[in-house]
Amino acid sequence: MTKGKRAVIACLAAAGVIACLAAFIPRYQQINQKYPPPPVETYAIGEPLSYKGVEVTVQESLIAAWPDMPALFPDTTFTYNPVTNGEVGAEEQMKLVLVTVNLKNTGEESQSITLYTMVAKTLTWRNGLNLELFMDLNTTADHTPTIRPALAPGEEMTVILPYTAIKQQFPPGEWAAFKDLSFELQFDLYPVKKIFKLT
């Protein structure tokens, strides 16, 4: 290929990039004007958040390592196990963020609330609800839990929301300081971002 052909190809490529940018930038600005960044509402432990007729209150958050779970919940039979599931090679490679949440229907009609949309987050990590562990921690002899509980008017319930973290998801320094990290529970992202500060 001659230098002249290379120059023509380079000019055509540059013109193509410029044309793409010219089309993209106005659309990007239009979308950002139509959907601006949401305002952020921050809630502390013990402070209620009202969501579609349900009052949600984080009562407690606990940072734990998987080997601590039998001692923390001596009456719980764990069917979930990260080692036998193949998620980690050793129990010490999994840690947990455990969030105790109270739900109360403050409305005059039955309400449902979706729990699996709540996400735990810190600096470089975010994760959704561990459903198997949720079932283990919230099952009792007379109650089978659901991730979308329905509450009658005036009814309330308390559930434990477990979020698991594994060593491979963190830089070494963050993993070593896991208990000292600042965690939050993201409840709703749009049109208003609602966050519970956990630590």
Side-chain angles (χ1 to χ4, degrees):
M1 185 180 295
T2 65
K3 286 185 180 180
K5 285 184 179 179
R6 284 187 191 145
V8 169
I9 290 171
C11 287
L12 289 174
V17 168
I18 290 169
C20 287
L21 287 173
F24 171 77
I25 290 172
R27 181 69 179 148
Y28 177 81
Q29 290 172 331
Q30 180 187 17
I31 289 172
N32 277 324
Q33 287 172 355
K34 189 173 181 180
Y35 303 103
V40 178
E41 291 180 4
T42 303
Y43 297 83
I45 291 175
E47 186 178 1
L49 170 156
S50 182
Y51 181 72
K52 296 183 180 177
V54 177
E55 186 179 271
V56 182
T57 307
V58 172
Q59 295 179 326
E60 178 185 24
S61 71
L62 175 67
I63 308 299
W66 180 256
D68 302 330
M69 292 298 281
L72 289 170
F73 301 96
D75 298 329
T76 300
T77 302
F78 289 99
T79 57
Y80 170 79
N81 186 299
V83 178
T84 56
N85 286 5
E87 294 172 54
V88 293
E91 289 185 345
E92 293 75 19
Q93 295 174 340
M94 177 169 281
K95 295 180 183 177
L96 302 101
V97 179
L98 303 167
V99 186
T100 304
V101 177
N102 182 263
L103 310 168
K104 182 178 181 180
N105 183 353
T106 56
E108 296 179 2
E109 297 179 5
S110 292
Q111 300 285 351
S112 294
I113 185 165
T114 305
L115 300 176
Y116 61 83
T117 57
M118 299 181 192
V119 175
K121 182 181 180 303
T122 189
L123 300 171
T124 57
W125 170 86
R126 64 185 296 129
N127 208 356
L129 197 61
N130 183 310
L131 298 179
E132 288 180 78
L133 194 50
F134 172 81
M135 297 300 288
D136 285 347
L137 292 171
N138 295 288
T139 298
T140 62
D142 58 348
H143 174 72
T144 301
T146 174
I147 53 173
R148 197 166 190 273
L151 301 168
E155 182 182 1
E156 65 182 296
M157 65 168 37
T158 299
V159 293
I160 299 171
L161 305 178
Y163 299 90
T164 52
I166 60 173
K167 189 174 183 179
Q168 291 85 345
Q169 295 173 319
F170 289 80
E174 283 184 29
W175 183 254
F178 190 86
K179 282 197 167 189
D180 300 322
L181 296 176
S182 294
F183 291 93
E184 59 187 37
L185 186 66
Q186 290 185 342
F187 186 80
D188 220 359
L189 296 179
Y190 213 85
V192 177
K193 188 174 184 178
K194 297 181 179 182
I195 295 171
F196 280 106
K197 292 288 185 182
L198 301 177
T199 55

